[in-house]
Amino acid sequence: MSYDDGMRVRREVLGDAHVDRAQARTTEFTADFQNLITRYAWGEIWTRPGLDRRTRSCITLTALVAGGHLEELAMHVRAARRNGLTTGEIKEVLLQTAIYCGVPAANAAFAVAQRVLAEEEGPNDTPNDTPKATPGDAT
């Protein structure tokens, strides 16, 4: 994939406003890094056919919680919504991280996600749209 493919996916997932802000902040010092993430993260990984964007968002949220990258988490909560995850599905991903990444990490992640979702949906519009579990879902 090319830089242009990566930029297209980056804009689709993160939104034009975010990408435009990132590009406006690019300096000579950071230009190579911006090029790297556009080509590799967005152009090579996010464009692979093996996983859909919803699944990639779930994995990305989990990885960011595990690494304690809360600033990136906020951006990817927005991206997860753009990729079709519901508020309930994001909640389930974060609950899963409590077990595998630790309760303090999940607690911080819930605070970030709640803030972002409130900004996106409005303070009184956070539906409990958690998908229903089916027998055999739990391991």
Side-chain angles (χ1 to χ4, degrees):
M1 293 284 157
S2 69
Y3 177 89
D4 291 337
D5 293 324
M7 184 56 73
R8 178 184 49 77
V9 172
R10 188 176 180 191
R11 286 184 177 282
E12 289 171 3
V13 172
L14 300 178
D16 287 331
H18 172 82
V19 175
D20 290 344
R21 282 190 308 273
Q23 292 208 299
R25 289 189 309 262
T26 299
T27 65
E28 183 178 338
F29 182 71
T30 63
D32 289 341
F33 179 70
Q34 288 295 316
N35 184 283
L36 174 86
I37 61 174
T38 300
R39 284 184 297 115
Y40 286 103
W42 300 105
E44 292 294 329
I45 300 303
W46 277 82
T47 58
R48 292 179 58 81
L51 298 172
D52 63 16
R53 287 187 185 171
R54 289 172 46 85
T55 303
R56 289 187 191 282
S57 281
C58 289
I59 293 166
T60 301
L61 293 174
T62 302
L64 293 171
V65 171
H69 305 292
L70 299 180
E71 295 80 17
E72 289 279 316
L73 179 67
M75 174 181 67
H76 278 281
V77 167
R78 289 182 192 93
R81 294 288 290 165
R82 197 171 286 110
N83 284 337
L85 267 69
T86 65
T87 299
E89 289 169 327
I90 292 169
K91 176 177 75 175
E92 291 301 319
V93 168
L94 298 180
L95 284 170
Q96 187 84 5
T97 67
I99 303 306
Y100 292 98
C101 303
V103 171
N107 186 43
F110 265 102
V112 170
Q114 185 171 10
R115 176 180 48 82
V116 169
L117 293 169
E119 290 168 4
E120 297 283 312
E121 299 171 348
N124 297 318
D125 186 23
T126 53
N128 186 10
D129 51 6
T130 305
K132 300 291 183 217
T134 57
D137 278 354
T139 39

